[in-house]
């Protein structure tokens, strides 16, 4: 467990270490053997998965089959009884081992937890149930009346329509998919719990949390803390949205926000309520090319003292939309890949020269430079990960955020000094994204999944509990009563196929603002709302000191050492202070109805 590193160091100073020398050598030999085989199997699986994502030919299942075979081989190895027994046996003598050896053995056990061959039958059932569930979810045809619509169509209506009837129809249509997913979710909950219980975890939620070196009560206390810190600001945003939307729709102001009023199916992001005027990034980017956007992102990292990207990145990545008539499709969701835990790094994007993709290129290259930074001889392959699961996303998002600030855009010639975006509206738009996300991620999602797995919520109470949490944390209510024939939680992808990890996103938002605040105030001596990281070598040095150790460092100690404080939302609260003042003025005389936590 990572946070115990300090303690392990102390123990290893004791005379017992001399006795331990005898076990360190065989452990190292085992780790070397494991690593070589793991790296090879993982690389094969990644390459097939890359092909499955970048070259999709309708009716041709060659790639999908190859991916399945490679992933099964990897699962058989990581979950093998031999690896479970060996790592457990050595961990029983952890006081005699080097700290890095302990971390690697723990990582081996964690990898085994997902598919222990000691319960091979259960693992097979779980994988089959997961495949079935995602096929139902992604293969579902949404309908409004008798008209088939895509999820994008539904989102577009919720973002733009001013008609409450049309919004209601779109919102209701978006929730129909949950009905058919309920049985599968309950079955998956049972299979996921039983699989990890075979390795001694109390439930699947506890298993996922363990990767942070934390217990469930510790994790819940941490996410509750973030939620409490941001509650006063969220209350103002909640009041603002109730009054502004009621005005827009021409109806009385409700106590709780009706779910179909909001520009997002789950009420997790309200940022499209605001359009920022005053500068034209869209126009400036029209004069560039998609290639320019990616190269510009690389130039930015190089300006911070990072190396150029490896030639293979450019040769192997899939960066632009598939040309018309190419005869294949690709996954259009942006991602960054570390295929071999070495220098084969690639990005999958569909870059166009617009503001969203411009920001995304800076975000994805953040992941790529994280991979390249911890790929060094000091970091064993098994620890080539972010300091914890939230750090990776925090770094990518922070670089995306930095690339969108006015002085940065000014410096790279994408806006002119004369253009002045409305700073308050810009901050409001950011808050409607980052702050609104917190009660949803820390409250609704994390609480629901913790209770689903840890308290075995009964099938007959899933929807009731879901909406209780939505009301309490987000201050949102359904347009009409939702019975247990619905399963509104299961309409969210992550509940089905990325289970029990959603707090990652909340923690990464907090870390993002904490790191950004430090860079702005302590390194650049600039206003955190108007920074320019470009060309600043000290910013690069600071980042590299965080990225280079990967998961071989203790993530809590690192945050404390680098920023001077523990993980908290304090920096995020500070960032939005000017907005808080503005909202208090706008909301003067309005009734706040959001409950206390
Ligand atoms: Zn990312």
């Amino acid at each position: 467990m990572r946070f115990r590193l300090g303690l392990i160091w102390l123990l290893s100073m004791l005379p017992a270490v001399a006795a331990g020398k005898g076990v360190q050598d065989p452990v190292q030999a085992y780790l070397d053997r494991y690593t070589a085989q793991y790296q090879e199997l993982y690389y094969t699986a990644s390459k097939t998965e890359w092909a499955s994502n970048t070259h999709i030919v309708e009716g041709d299942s060659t790639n999908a089959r190859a991916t399945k075979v490679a992933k099964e081989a990897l699962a058989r190895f990581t979950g093998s009884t031999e690896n479970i027994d060996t790592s457990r046996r050595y961990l029983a003598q952890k006081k005699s081992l080097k700290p890095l050896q302990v971390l690697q053995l723990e990582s081996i056990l964690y990898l085994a937890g997902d598919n222990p061959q000691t319960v091979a039958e259960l693992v097979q059932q779980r994988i089959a149930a997961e495949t079935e569930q995602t096929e139902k979810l992604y293969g579902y045809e949404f309908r409004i009346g008798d008209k088939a619509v895509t999820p994008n169509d539904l989102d577009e209506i919720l973002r733009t329509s001013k008609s409450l009837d049309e919004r209601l129809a779109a919102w209701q249509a978006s929730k129909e998919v949950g009905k058919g997913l309920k049985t599968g979710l309950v079955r998956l909950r049972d299979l996921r719990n039983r699989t990890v219980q075979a390795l001694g975890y109390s439930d699947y939620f506890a298993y996922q949390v363990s990767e942070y070196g934390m217990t469930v009560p510790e994790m819940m206390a941490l996410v509750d803390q973030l939620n409490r810190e941001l509650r006063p600001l969220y209350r103002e945003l909640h009041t603002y949205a109730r009054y502004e939307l009621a005005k827009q729709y021409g109806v009385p102001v409700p106590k709780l926000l009706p779910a179909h009023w909001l520009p997002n199916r789950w009420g997790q992001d309200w940022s499209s309520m605001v359009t920022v005027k005053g500068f034209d990034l869209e126009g400036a980017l029209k004069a560039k090319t998609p290639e320019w956007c990616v190269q510009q992102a690389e130039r930015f990292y190089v300006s911070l003292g990072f190396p150029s990207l490896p030639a293979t990145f450019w040769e192997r990545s899939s960066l632009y939309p598939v040309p018309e008539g190419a005869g294949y499709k690709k996954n259009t969701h942006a991602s960054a890949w570390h295929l071999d835990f070495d220098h084969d790094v690639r990005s999958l994007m569909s870059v166009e020269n617009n503001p969203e993709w411009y920001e995304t290129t800076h975000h994805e290259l953040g992941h790529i430079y994280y991979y390249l930074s911890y790929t060094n001889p000091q970091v064993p392959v098994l620890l080539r990960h972010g300091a914890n699961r939230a750090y990776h996303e925090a770094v990518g998002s922070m670089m995306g955020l930095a690339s969108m600030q006015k002085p940065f855009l000014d410096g790279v010639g994408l806006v002119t000094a004369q253009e002045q975006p409305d700073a308050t509206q810009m901050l409001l738009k950011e808050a409607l994204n980052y702050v609104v996300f917190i009660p949803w991620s820390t409250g609704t999602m994390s609480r629901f999944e913790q209770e689903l797995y840890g308290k075995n919520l009964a099938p007959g109470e899933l929807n009731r509990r879901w909406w209780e949490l939505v009301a309490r944390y987000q201050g949102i209510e359904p347009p009409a009563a939702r019975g247990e024939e619905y399963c509104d939680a299961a309409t969210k992808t992550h509940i089905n196929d990325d289970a029990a990890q959603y707090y990652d996103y909340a923690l990464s938002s907090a870390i993002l603002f904490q790191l950004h605040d430090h860079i702005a105030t302590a390194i650049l001596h600039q206003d955190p709302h108007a920074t320019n990281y470009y060309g600043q070598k000290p910013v690069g040095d600071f980042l590299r000191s965080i990225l280079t150790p990967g998961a071989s460092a203790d993530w809590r100690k690192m945050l404390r050492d680098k920023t001077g404080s523990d993980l908290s939302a304090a920096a995020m609260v500070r960032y939005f202070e000017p907005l808080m003042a503005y909202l208090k003025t706008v909301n003067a005389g309005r009734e706040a109805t959001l409950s206390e936590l």
Side-chain angles (χ1 to χ4, degrees):
M1 311 235 169
R2 270 160 223 149
F3 73 104
R4 294 200 192 131
L5 199 60
L7 178 66
I8 292 156
W9 263 115
L10 266 179
L11 290 169
S12 65
M13 305 287 179
L14 301 175
V17 81
K21 188 79 184 86
V23 70
Q24 287 178 4
D25 292 343
V27 164
Q28 198 51 52
Y30 166 66
L31 288 172
D32 292 345
R33 239 180 10 253
Y34 180 99
T35 301
Q37 207 171 342
Y38 174 63
Q39 201 171 7
E40 191 183 318
L41 289 165
Y42 184 89
Y43 195 19
T44 307
S46 305
K47 280 188 288 194
T48 55
E49 204 168 358
W50 174 263
S52 292
N53 278 275
T54 54
H55 203 270
I56 304 167
V57 181
E58 215 179 317
D60 181 354
S61 58
T62 321
N63 283 337
R65 265 204 317 277
T67 303
K68 187 168 170 284
V69 170
K71 281 178 124 176
E72 280 170 358
L74 179 64
R76 266 197 308 278
F77 172 72
T78 56
S80 78
T81 310
E82 191 208 335
N83 281 323
I84 293 172
D85 290 346
T86 313
S87 53
R88 270 185 172 161
R89 193 172 72 242
Y90 285 139
L91 276 171
Q93 313 171 60
K94 66 162 87 167
K95 286 180 188 165
S96 309
L97 303 178
K98 294 180 190 168
L100 274 188
Q101 291 181 324
V102 173
L103 289 177
Q104 290 174 84
L105 290 170
E106 281 171 349
S107 161
I108 289 173
L109 257 194
Y110 176 80
L111 287 170
D114 226 12
N115 38 42
Q117 297 301 305
T118 42
V119 287
E121 178 92 349
L122 275 183
V123 173
Q124 257 186 9
Q125 287 175 27
R126 195 208 67 211
I127 292 171
E130 273 170 350
T131 311
E132 199 183 316
Q133 187 81 343
T134 46
E135 275 170 4
K136 267 193 198 155
L137 174 66
Y138 294 115
Y140 182 80
E141 192 178 71
F142 292 92
R143 307 189 76 84
I144 297 183
D146 51 11
K147 185 168 162 268
V149 290
T150 65
N152 281 345
D153 296 334
L154 296 170
D155 291 341
E156 180 66 14
I157 293 172
L158 292 177
R159 266 198 308 269
T160 57
S161 172
K162 303 276 187 276
S163 150
L164 279 181
D165 289 343
E166 191 183 19
R167 303 185 66 87
L168 180 61
W171 186 87
Q172 282 172 336
S174 79
K175 301 295 161 185
E176 283 295 306
V177 60
K179 287 178 176 169
L181 295 168
K182 181 170 171 174
T183 320
L185 178 61
V186 172
R187 183 169 152 71
L188 268 177
R189 179 263 305 278
D190 295 339
L191 289 168
R192 282 171 178 153
N193 274 350
R194 287 166 64 200
T195 309
V196 298
Q197 278 159 358
L199 269 186
Y201 298 94
S202 59
D203 61 81
Y204 193 74
F205 195 87
Y207 163 69
Q208 288 296 359
V209 166
S210 77
E211 217 196 354
Y212 282 82
M214 292 171 86
T215 63
V216 172
E218 285 170 341
M219 179 57 84
M220 298 318 281
L222 179 58
V223 294
D224 281 350
Q225 175 209 320
L226 300 180
N227 207 3
R228 267 197 315 276
E229 288 175 289
L230 286 159
R231 194 67 167 179
L233 178 53
Y234 184 65
R235 177 172 290 114
E236 296 300 329
L237 291 167
H238 185 258
T239 305
Y240 173 84
R242 279 166 47 237
Y243 280 82
E244 294 299 318
L245 291 174
K247 192 164 42 177
Q248 183 180 314
Y249 303 133
V251 292
V253 181
K255 299 259 187 237
L256 295 174
L257 275 163
H260 64 299
W261 284 24
L262 295 163
N264 172 279
R265 282 182 262 167
W266 302 277
Q268 68 177 72
D269 176 2
W270 310 346
S271 56
S272 53
M273 280 175 63
V274 171
T275 314
V276 181
K277 299 192 184 76
F279 75 140
D280 184 20
L281 182 55
E282 182 112 36
L285 284 164
K286 276 213 183 90
K288 308 287 186 188
T289 61
E291 288 76 8
W292 181 90
C293 291
V294 190
Q295 287 157 7
Q296 177 56 30
E298 184 195 28
R299 272 194 292 277
F300 167 43
Y301 286 91
V302 170
S303 86
L304 298 177
F306 286 93
S308 297
L309 290 166
T312 50
F313 170 86
W314 297 104
E315 291 155 19
R316 297 171 185 168
S317 285
S318 174
L319 299 172
Y320 308 106
V322 175
E324 198 99 23
Y328 67 93
K329 287 186 185 151
K330 67 187 231 184
N331 181 341
T332 52
H333 195 84
S335 54
W337 298 52
H338 195 192
L339 285 88
D340 59 348
F341 294 115
D342 200 338
H343 283 78
D344 192 343
V345 289
R346 308 178 196 178
S347 181
L348 168 53
M349 295 192 270
S350 293
V351 180
E352 296 175 49
N353 41 326
N354 62 35
E356 290 73 31
W357 277 111
Y358 159 83
E359 181 175 358
T360 303
T361 58
H362 288 70
H363 176 119
E364 296 305 329
L365 289 203
H367 290 305
I368 298 285
Y369 276 105
Y370 207 157
Y371 299 147
L372 291 171
S373 300
Y374 55 58
T375 299
N376 67 69
Q378 273 68 50
V379 181
V381 164
L382 282 166
L383 303 177
R384 291 183 184 171
H385 296 286
N388 64 29
R389 290 201 304 257
Y391 268 66
H392 241 292
E393 204 51 27
V395 169
S397 301
M398 180 178 76
M399 301 308 259
L401 181 107
S403 76
M404 292 295 276
Q405 292 200 328
K406 173 75 176 17
F408 186 105
L409 292 170
D410 208 344
V412 298
L414 286 172
V415 296
T416 62
Q418 292 75 41
E419 288 177 90
Q420 269 318 329
D422 182 329
T424 307
Q425 291 301 301
M426 218 153 129
L427 206 53
L428 177 58
K429 196 176 176 71
E430 284 174 350
L432 291 174
N433 173 7
Y434 286 105
V435 179
V436 162
F437 184 73
I438 295 294
W440 153 254
S441 54
T442 62
T444 307
M445 283 293 280
S446 296
R447 280 278 153 206
F448 181 81
E449 289 199 291
Q450 193 268 315
E451 294 181 9
L452 179 69
Y453 292 99
K455 294 188 182 168
N456 269 311
L457 278 183
E461 56 178 348
L462 294 184
N463 224 34
R464 178 187 59 76
R465 188 58 186 146
W466 173 258
W467 283 104
E468 275 173 11
L469 294 168
V470 172
R472 174 173 154 86
Y473 289 103
Q474 298 176 270
I476 296 173
E477 65 180 359
R482 308 280 295 168
E484 295 299 331
E485 68 274 29
Y486 297 103
C487 186
D488 294 321
T491 65
K492 185 72 193 166
T493 318
H494 301 71
I495 294 275
N496 302 291
D497 63 9
D498 200 13
Q501 301 179 46
Y502 209 79
Y503 43 85
D504 289 1
Y505 298 105
L507 302 187
S508 77
S509 287
I511 296 172
L512 180 177
F513 282 95
Q514 211 164 331
L515 294 179
H516 175 69
D517 184 68
H518 180 82
I519 290 174
T521 55
I523 300 179
L524 294 174
H525 308 290
Q526 295 173 0
D527 174 1
H529 307 97
T531 61
N532 187 359
Y533 288 20
Y534 205 96
Q536 298 282 357
K537 295 285 188 305
V539 174
D541 293 340
F542 174 75
L543 279 176
R544 273 186 298 281
S545 74
I546 292 171
L547 308 189
T548 307
S552 71
D554 173 344
W555 68 264
R556 298 193 222 216
K557 184 172 179 310
M558 181 190 286
L559 204 58
R560 214 175 297 134
D561 289 352
K562 299 295 169 192
T563 69
S565 30
D566 286 319
L567 180 56
S568 88
M572 199 166 168
V573 170
R574 260 198 312 281
Y575 185 87
F576 289 108
E577 252 162 26
L579 180 71
M580 187 70 174
Y582 166 81
L583 287 173
K584 283 225 151 95
T585 316
V586 177
N587 288 337
R590 291 174 170 178
E591 186 200 2
T593 52
L594 195 68
S595 68
E596 294 293 331
L597 283 175

